[in-house]
Amino acid sequence: MQKQGVPGPLDESLVSRKRKDAPPPPEVTYKKRRTDPNKPKNSAAKKSTKGQFATNGKTPKTAGKKAQQLVESDDEHVSDASDAADDLGVLESDDEPAEDDDFMDSDDPDVQRAMWSEDEDASDAEEILNAANIAGLSGRLDEEAAQEAADAQAELEDDAMQTNIAAADIPDDEDDDEAAVRKATLAPDLQLLRTRITETTRVLTSFKELSDPSRSRADYINSLLNDICAYYGYSRFLAEKLWRLFTPQEALAFFDANETPRPLVIRTNTLRTHRRDLAHSLINRGVTLEPVGKWSKVGLQVFESQVPLGATPEYLAGHYILQAASSFLPVMALAPQENERVLDMAAAPGGKTTYAAALMRNTGVIFANDASKVRAKGLIGNIHRLGVKNTIVCHYSALEFPKVMGGFDRVLLDAPCSGTGVIAKDQSVKTNKTEADFLRLPHLQKQLLLAAIDSVDHASKTGGYIVYSTCSVTVEENEQVVQYALNRRPNVKLVSTGLVFGKEGFTSFMGKKFHPSLKETRRYYPHAYNVDGFYVAKFKKVGPTPANAVKAQGSEEQKQNVKKDGDEEIIDRTPISEEAENDEFGGFSDSEDDAIIQRARAKQLKKKGIDPKATKAAKKPKEKEVTSEQPNAEDQIEEKAVKSPSGTKSPKVAEKPVKDGVSEVGGHAVGTSTEAQSKKERRSLNKAGKKAKASSKAK
């Protein structure tokens, strides 16, 4: 593009020709102007100059004449055309003369098109503002603006682009699926949500004084839970479950605490160094830290670090391990002693196992078990790095441990759980936990806890303790599991955890009553102690497990035990594996026993050189001839055999007794009367056993 230069001189003849070729303007009718009634009409007509402009010292009389002059004149000055346009109403002025306009004198075709554009057509009388139509035009503009605003709002709602949430004064209709889907597509206004959550929480705290009489408490709670789900991102099921654990203000603090990560904590490995020496070394490397609290002697809380804590020389040398402060608590409650046998049923990644080894000073033995072979590799790595030498790593299902190995002094069970206490670490817990998870996980935890109890030696001089812990805050995974163990194993009881802080466990929740000893358990919340949500319970095994400790669910004996304990409301309805019934005959199958007995006898006959198939060819009537009523039948046969001549056989002498209970009949070996008698006795015993077993089942 080239730079525009100085415009050329004006050719007035060209402008005149263009104006001449233009179509004539349409005729315009004007309303009569108001005049002063006190003045005479003639003087008003002569002296009034309103709307007139000086053009060469002359004033045009009418608009029609001036327009005619504009069409017919070819040599008239451009100012005459301008004056004609002014008289037509395009330009208006009161008393001042119009100045020469360079814009109108321009010969640019774009300027000419703009001058004679249809948008500036003065023929529309409604577009000319005056005292008569200004009110109507303003009202019409207001209506158009209101209509445009309404259309814009409707378009935003249809396209799901609304950036605000409707007020929650009216409870939401949960049955309306379309409304739920439409609401889910809207982007929430977080500031409005936060204000509404705070206000609703304040109303629920002082409901009688601040609530609206037209709304119930359930309406307020329903509205608040909807806002919490939208603001924090929880599923409705989990938000309601967590809400029930706290008061309204405490629940809000719990949800807020889950949005901020917990402080970074490291645990000093006392097998290699001391906490003071480790703190000095890390401070010299630019790490800002302080002790985690008075309750721990090995924990250090890190605020800021100029070096990666997972790659320092101290870390690689095994002087510390990155471990959450809440993971200290189960090991502190277990309190393992030196030279004990300890079992960690779910040991990976090894923080609790190595802490227990440090407390035991590498004495005794620790069995670190984990069901995941992949996680066990990380466990082995931490054990080697931290210098632990008294640990045996195994890969079993924790449910098998009473059968694989038992007799431990102490057992630590950090059971797998839903993770509702560590939402700050894993935000996916907010949405991926369903009601099925809170049925499946507690069932597994109950079976694991029973296995842990059965693995402990009650006669241990220094131990006999079981510690159960979870990183969850729900009652289904904590108090209900502990109550189940107390009901199933009467040989255990709850004892103090020995922890100096923490809230007591629930003894009643949502109409359910638990054993009073559950006050000894401890709960930990992120908003109260700035640690991950945790639960710790400690059992003491006081005796061996009775043979009839576990009864089938729904049996009369179990109901009687529940009534005696006063815990009839705590009934776990999850299915359990059926245990084999113990009767006086051992519960064996007679058909399998007969087959085994026959095979054993056949082997014995083969060793003696006798064909086992020959015994099957013997006739049963021959066996019946010898009964217990004829004690001397064998002697009589021998006497007759001696009297008979050699080379001949008497029909009465058909059987010749042979040693080892075998006789020959016609060259074939058959069983003697003693063997037949033993078979009869065995058959009678089998029949009696079957009858006894059938009667026990009927009972």
Side-chain angles (χ1 to χ4, degrees):
M1 296 179 65
Q2 298 180 357
K3 186 176 180 182
Q4 184 178 2
V6 180
L10 180 64
D11 188 1
E12 296 181 358
S13 61
L14 180 62
V15 176
S16 300
R17 286 196 299 271
K18 288 182 178 181
R19 294 294 178 87
K20 183 177 180 180
D21 296 337
E27 297 183 359
V28 182
T29 58
Y30 295 94
K31 296 182 180 180
K32 294 183 178 181
R33 300 180 182 273
R34 292 184 179 181
T35 57
D36 190 359
N38 297 327
K39 293 183 180 181
K41 297 181 180 180
N42 296 333
S43 60
K46 292 181 179 180
K47 297 181 179 179
S48 177
T49 58
K50 186 174 182 180
Q52 297 179 1
F53 301 89
T55 306
N56 294 331
K58 297 181 180 180
T59 304
K61 295 182 180 181
T62 60
K65 293 181 179 181
K66 202 63 180 178
Q68 188 69 19
Q69 293 176 3
L70 179 62
V71 176
E72 295 177 356
S73 176
D74 292 337
D75 301 330
E76 197 168 336
H77 197 269
V78 179
S79 61
D80 294 337
S82 177
D83 294 339
D86 294 341
D87 292 338
L88 287 173
V90 176
L91 299 175
E92 292 185 359
S93 179
D94 291 339
D95 295 328
E96 298 180 2
E99 298 179 357
D100 294 338
D101 193 353
D102 295 338
F103 179 81
M104 297 183 65
D105 296 338
S106 175
D107 58 351
D108 190 359
D110 295 334
V111 175
Q112 295 297 327
R113 284 195 299 269
M115 290 172 55
W116 299 99
S117 174
E118 296 179 358
D119 297 337
E120 297 182 1
D121 189 4
S123 63
D124 190 0
E126 294 181 357
E127 298 297 333
I128 302 175
L129 297 178
N130 52 40
N133 62 3
I134 189 170
L137 289 176
S138 62
R140 189 180 66 181
L141 292 176
D142 293 341
E143 292 178 358
E144 292 178 356
Q147 183 64 28
E148 290 178 359
D151 295 342
Q153 183 67 19
E155 184 178 358
L156 288 176
E157 293 179 356
D158 294 339
D159 297 340
M161 296 297 292
Q162 182 175 329
T163 58
N164 201 346
I165 289 182
D169 294 336
I170 301 176
D172 296 335
D173 188 3
E174 298 181 356
D175 297 334
D176 191 0
D177 297 338
E178 296 180 358
V181 172
R182 184 173 60 84
K183 184 176 180 180
T185 58
L186 301 180
D189 186 351
L190 298 181
Q191 185 176 1
L192 176 62
L193 275 177
R194 182 65 186 183
T195 303
R196 201 158 61 214
I197 289 173
T198 306
E199 182 63 23
T200 308
T201 304
R202 187 178 67 87
V203 171
L204 291 175
T205 305
S206 302
F207 187 75
K208 293 183 180 180
E209 294 80 6
L210 303 176
S211 62
D212 185 2
S214 61
R215 297 184 61 187
S216 63
R217 188 179 184 88
D219 294 339
Y220 278 101
I221 293 177
N222 185 33
S223 174
L224 180 60
L225 289 176
N226 291 335
D227 292 341
I228 287 174
C229 295
Y231 187 79
Y232 295 104
Y234 286 86
S235 63
R236 178 57 185 259
F237 168 75
L238 187 59
E240 186 174 356
K241 181 175 289 293
L242 296 176
W243 168 266
R244 295 174 179 175
L245 297 173
F246 311 101
T247 60
Q249 288 185 347
E250 194 175 4
L252 184 59
F254 174 79
F255 289 127
D256 287 335
N258 288 334
E259 301 303 311
T260 58
R262 303 277 75 77
L264 180 62
V265 177
I266 62 176
R267 179 181 62 81
T268 306
N269 181 21
T270 56
L271 295 175
R272 295 196 183 274
T273 185
H274 298 284
R275 185 170 69 170
R276 183 182 298 273
D277 298 337
L278 176 63
H280 284 306
S281 301
L282 294 178
I283 289 173
N284 293 334
R285 297 187 183 278
V287 180
T288 304
L289 48 81
E290 68 176 16
V292 71
K294 296 181 180 180
W295 54 272
S296 177
K297 297 181 180 180
V298 295
L300 289 172
Q301 181 177 345
V302 178
F303 297 98
E304 185 179 359
S305 177
Q306 298 179 2
V307 294
L309 293 176
T312 61
E314 288 79 9
Y315 177 83
L316 298 177
H319 291 181
Y320 66 89
I321 183 175
L322 299 173
Q323 187 175 356
S326 57
S327 298
F328 299 177
L329 303 173
V331 183
M332 295 173 62
L334 185 66
Q337 305 299 317
E338 297 182 13
N339 300 315
E340 285 187 341
R341 296 178 75 248
V342 179
L343 170 63
D344 189 354
M345 299 185 74
K352 301 179 181 65
T353 301
T354 54
Y355 189 15
L359 293 177
M360 297 170 64
R361 299 183 181 181
N362 262 342
T363 62
V365 61
I366 299 176
F367 288 86
N369 177 70
D370 198 90
S372 175
K373 192 173 183 179
V374 177
R375 288 169 58 87
K377 295 180 180 179
L379 169 64
I380 295 172
N382 282 326
I383 288 174
H384 284 295
R385 184 175 61 84
L386 297 176
V388 176
K389 300 179 181 179
N390 66 338
T391 301
I392 299 173
V393 179
C394 51
H395 170 52
Y396 287 101
S397 173
L399 297 173
E400 301 176 1
F401 244 89
K403 302 177 183 178
V404 174
M405 188 180 302
F408 294 99
D409 296 315
R410 299 171 192 263
V411 174
L412 174 62
L413 173 59
D414 187 19
C417 61
S418 61
T420 54
V422 291
I423 297 178
K425 294 181 180 179
D426 186 7
Q427 296 290 328
S428 63
V429 178
K430 295 180 178 180
T431 55
N432 63 5
K433 298 302 177 184
T434 60
E435 189 174 1
D437 294 325
F438 290 95
L439 295 176
R440 176 179 55 84
L441 290 172
H443 175 69
L444 175 61
Q445 292 160 358
K446 292 171 183 176
Q447 304 303 320
L448 289 174
L449 183 53
L450 294 182
I453 293 173
D454 295 339
S455 300
V456 172
D457 182 13
H458 70 281
S460 175
K461 296 180 180 179
T462 59
Y465 295 100
I466 306 100
V467 170
Y468 171 77
S469 63
T470 63
C471 56
S472 176
V473 296
T474 58
V475 177
E476 290 84 356
E477 299 177 89
N478 297 328
E479 280 84 359
Q480 287 190 8
V481 175
V482 173
Q483 183 65 51
Y484 176 87
L486 294 177
N487 293 341
R488 294 289 173 169
R489 295 292 184 268
N491 58 323
V492 296
K493 64 178 181 179
L494 287 172
V495 295
S496 176
T497 58
L499 302 174
V500 296
F501 71 106
K503 295 187 177 182
E504 296 180 353
F506 293 114
T507 56
S508 62
F509 179 77
M510 300 294 292
K512 299 179 181 179
K513 300 295 182 180
F514 303 111
H515 197 274
S517 62
L518 264 77
K519 289 184 178 180
E520 301 292 342
T521 62
R522 288 292 177 266
R523 281 179 161 268
Y524 299 91
Y525 301 118
H527 65 279
Y529 305 106
N530 201 19
V531 298
D532 293 330
F534 228 75
Y535 179 81
V536 180
K538 187 175 183 180
F539 296 87
K540 170 68 175 176
K541 190 172 182 180
V542 296
T545 302
N548 58 350
V550 180
K551 299 296 181 183
Q553 292 215 355
S555 61
E556 297 181 357
E557 296 180 359
Q558 184 199 14
K559 294 179 180 179
Q560 293 177 359
N561 294 335
V562 170
K563 291 181 179 179
K564 290 179 182 179
D565 295 338
D567 298 327
E568 55 270 16
E569 295 185 2
I570 308 303
I571 298 176
D572 186 14
R573 300 188 182 279
T574 54
I576 62 174
S577 59
E578 296 182 358
E579 297 186 7
E581 298 181 359
N582 294 326
D583 54 22
E584 56 184 353
F585 295 96
F588 297 107
S589 175
D590 295 335
S591 59
E592 294 178 359
D593 294 345
D594 293 336
I596 294 172
I597 292 171
Q598 293 296 335
R599 287 197 298 269
R601 288 180 177 173
K603 289 181 180 180
Q604 291 178 358
L605 292 175
K606 285 182 179 180
K607 288 180 181 180
K608 296 176 182 180
I610 302 173
D611 186 6
K613 296 182 179 180
T615 58
K616 298 180 181 179
K619 297 181 180 180
K620 293 183 180 179
K622 297 290 183 180
E623 296 178 357
K624 292 183 179 179
E625 291 179 0
V626 181
T627 61
S628 59
E629 298 178 356
Q630 299 175 355
N632 298 325
E634 295 179 0
D635 298 336
Q636 295 176 2
I637 293 173
E638 291 177 358
E639 292 177 357
K640 293 179 181 180
V642 171
K643 293 180 182 181
S644 61
S646 60
T648 61
K649 291 184 179 180
S650 174
K652 295 183 179 179
V653 188
E655 295 181 5
K656 182 178 181 180
V658 185
K659 293 182 180 180
D660 296 330
V662 179
S663 62
E664 294 180 358
V665 178
H668 299 284
V670 297
T672 60
S673 61
T674 56
E675 184 178 355
Q677 187 175 0
S678 63
K679 287 184 179 180
K680 290 182 179 180
E681 293 177 355
R682 187 173 66 255
R683 289 173 183 172
S684 62
L685 289 175
N686 289 338
K687 291 181 180 180
K690 290 180 180 180
K691 291 181 180 180
K693 189 172 183 179
S695 62
S696 63
K697 288 183 178 180
K699 291 181 180 179

